[in-house]
Amino acid sequence: MDVPDEVVLFDMDGVLVDSEDYWHEFEDEFVFADAVASGDPAHEEVTGMHFREIYDYLDETYGATVTKEEFVDAYHERAESLYGEQVTLMEGAEELFEELRADGRRLAIVSSAPQSWISIVRDRFELDPLELVLSAEDIDAAGKPEPHIYERAAAELGVEPEECVVVEDSLNGIESAVRSGAFTVAYRRAHNAELDLSQAHVVAEGPEELREILLG
């Protein structure tokens, strides 16, 4: 397996932190229960998307019962305690980052989350230094599953997407990375255990497999 050995781009939610189960609870309690007019959306339809684009998608597909401003405010309010108190860091992340840096890899976070949410995670778990931290709000283009955010990340790092490894967990994120041309690793965790992740180039069934794929 020919894995690029210069740049590793990590998604945040569901990869670096176990936030997806908490977001799924929020979706069940508010988004799907109170903010959607009709229908029965599935979590995988929206996981990995920027929350403003989640609103647009749900409004177009199912209809919305709240304004976009109310929707956005609810997400921001939930994010503060979710990232600041509840989430835990990926098992072995500190050691993995140390080994990747020692191997000369350039590390970045590429996330649909706003920079303010990413900053909470960076500060709380001391993830810096990073070569790049890119949010979907930093690009003037559609977010995941479109490929633009990973194309932009590669450009800002001065490489081609094909020279990057991306670690993703959601169907939307995996599609975004694959479409950009990056070598895409799907990271299997409890929240995506039942999903078909085969669109990725390889699936890592846990932290040890992820380390083996990235470091050989």
Side-chain angles (χ1 to χ4, degrees):
M1 182 169 53
D2 188 13
V3 180
D5 60 2
E6 182 174 350
V7 175
V8 185
L9 309 177
F10 287 94
D11 176 44
M12 183 177 77
D13 290 293
V15 174
L16 291 178
V17 292
D18 60 342
S19 53
E20 296 297 11
D21 285 339
Y22 297 110
W23 282 124
H24 289 175
E25 290 176 8
F26 175 74
E27 289 163 4
D28 289 336
E29 293 168 2
F30 167 69
V31 179
F32 299 159
D34 297 333
V36 171
S38 63
D40 187 22
H43 293 296
E44 56 265 27
E45 291 181 60
V46 299
T47 300
M49 295 173 64
H50 185 274
F51 64 103
R52 294 179 186 274
E53 293 179 345
I54 290 176
Y55 180 89
D56 296 337
Y57 170 80
L58 292 174
D59 188 29
E60 179 179 349
T61 308
Y62 300 99
T65 62
V66 299
T67 67
K68 191 168 187 176
E69 182 179 4
E70 291 170 331
F71 191 86
V72 167
D73 287 346
Y75 265 87
H76 276 303
E77 182 178 349
R78 182 68 185 92
E80 187 171 345
S81 62
L82 189 153
Y83 294 113
E85 301 170 13
Q86 293 182 290
V87 300
T88 59
L89 190 63
M90 177 182 75
E91 180 184 346
E94 299 99 327
E95 295 82 1
L96 178 60
F97 273 35
E98 288 177 7
E99 289 186 82
L100 288 169
R101 290 184 180 111
D103 197 48
R105 307 296 180 88
R106 302 163 67 194
L107 307 183
I109 293 176
V110 180
S111 174
S112 293
Q115 287 284 359
S116 59
W117 300 3
I118 301 171
S119 292
I120 297 173
V121 172
R122 290 168 61 193
D123 294 343
R124 183 180 170 200
F125 297 112
E126 300 179 348
L127 296 179
D128 294 335
L130 297 161
E131 291 281 334
L132 173 70
V133 178
L134 187 66
S135 163
E137 294 190 337
D138 299 330
I139 66 171
D140 186 21
K144 304 172 186 179
E146 298 299 321
H148 309 304
I149 192 168
Y150 283 114
E151 293 170 343
R152 171 73 172 273
E156 292 207 10
L157 291 168
V159 297
E160 296 297 322
E162 290 78 9
E163 298 175 81
C164 300
V165 179
V166 170
V167 185
E168 270 282 3
D169 67 303
S170 69
L171 298 182
N172 287 313
I174 291 167
E175 180 179 344
S176 174
V178 170
R179 289 172 62 186
S180 77
F183 183 92
T184 306
V185 181
Y187 187 45
R188 181 83 72 183
R189 302 193 69 169
H191 68 271
N192 64 2
E194 304 302 321
L195 297 183
D196 179 4
L197 306 180
S198 61
Q199 184 180 5
H201 294 91
V202 62
V203 178
E205 301 285 350
E208 190 53 43
E209 280 197 19
L210 179 61
R211 181 192 173 280
E212 291 175 3
I213 292 166
L214 296 180
L215 287 163

